[in-house]
């Protein structure tokens, strides 16, 4: 990143990655992104699940899903929306929680300037943070506050 300022301040296009638990969680993460004065249209949320159509709603803008059914036998991705998302470049990728190895290999191929893992240990990420909360707003705020300290 050429622009001066903290990592957070120069990050406009953000990809947030986590496991899918339920639709309420999706809405909470979406609201958390909006509460940080980020343009939700410049941000993407990516949820992984091992269950087929686990209550996922595909109609929300900036929300993407990848399930185990979207992966072919040899790991080939059959989800067109995910393939399109992989072509985008992001200023910041935030990975929350431990991600299944099959999915982790896929997100490693995303183009991003800076990567943050929260409650995860990911080798291709720039910094891994730990926090006891599971609340989406608290996790995203914690990430923001930490990144505002990094130049």
């Amino acid at each position: 990143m050429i622009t001066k300022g903290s990592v957070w301040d120069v990050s406009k296009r953000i990809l947030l990655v986590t496991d899918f638990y339920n639709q309420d969680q999706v809405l909470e993460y979406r609201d958390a992104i909006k509460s940080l004065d980020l343009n939700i249209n410049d941000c993407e949320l990516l949820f992984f699940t091992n269950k087929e159509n686990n209550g996922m709603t595909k109609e929300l803008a900036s929300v993407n899903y990848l399930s185990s059914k979207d992966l072919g036998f040899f790991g080939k991705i059959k989800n067109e929306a995910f393939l399109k998302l992989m072509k985008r470049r992001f200023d910041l990728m935030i990975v929350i929680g431990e991600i299944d190895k099959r999915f982790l290999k896929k997100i490693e191929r995303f183009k991003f300037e800076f990567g943050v893992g929260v409650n995860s240990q990911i080798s291709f990420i720039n910094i891994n943070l730990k926090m006891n909360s599971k609340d989406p707003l608290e996790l995203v705020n914690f990430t923001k506050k930490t990144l505002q300290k990094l130049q």
Side-chain angles (χ1 to χ4, degrees):
M1 290 182 229
I2 298 171
T3 311
K4 292 196 178 198
S6 73
V7 171
W8 181 264
D9 293 337
V10 298
S11 297
K12 301 301 175 217
R13 295 177 315 273
I14 297 175
L15 173 64
L16 187 140
V17 180
T18 192
D19 280 323
F20 175 85
Y21 295 106
N22 58 49
Q23 194 59 38
D24 290 337
Q25 171 216 24
V26 172
L27 297 174
E28 287 173 8
Y29 272 111
R30 202 163 186 275
D31 289 343
I33 293 292
K34 288 179 181 178
S35 75
L36 300 176
D37 294 325
L38 293 170
N39 183 345
I40 192 67
N41 296 317
D42 291 334
C43 301
E44 294 287 341
L45 294 106
L46 176 59
F47 295 91
F48 293 114
T49 182
N50 283 315
K51 298 176 181 158
E52 201 170 321
N53 195 7
N54 195 13
M56 298 178 285
T57 304
K58 303 236 183 219
E59 297 92 36
L60 290 172
S62 301
V63 176
N64 301 276
Y65 302 95
L66 188 69
S67 70
S68 50
K69 75 174 180 74
D70 293 324
L71 302 177
F73 184 71
F74 293 107
K76 183 174 167 110
I77 301 167
K78 301 185 283 186
N79 181 322
E80 290 300 318
F82 183 83
L83 291 170
K84 186 176 176 183
L85 185 64
M86 284 182 76
K87 293 178 182 175
R88 289 189 56 193
R89 178 171 289 287
F90 295 95
D91 299 320
L92 177 64
M93 179 167 69
I94 304 169
V95 180
I96 298 177
E98 294 297 332
I99 304 294
D100 184 299
K101 287 181 185 178
R102 294 173 299 158
F103 299 133
L104 199 58
K105 289 178 184 177
K106 305 307 176 202
I107 63 169
E108 187 173 11
R109 299 186 344 215
F110 275 93
K111 299 174 195 113
F112 60 94
E113 295 294 323
F114 196 87
V116 178
V118 181
N119 298 333
S120 60
Q121 292 295 317
I122 301 172
S123 61
F124 62 87
I125 293 293
N126 299 86
I127 185 171
N128 286 295
L129 307 172
K130 291 285 182 201
M131 184 180 186
N132 291 329
S133 177
K134 293 191 184 285
D135 178 66
L137 183 58
E138 288 180 17
L139 290 166
V140 174
N141 270 321
F142 173 69
T143 304
K144 175 185 177 179
K145 287 177 183 172
T146 302
L147 294 180
Q148 283 177 325
K149 297 174 185 175
L150 299 176
Q151 297 291 321

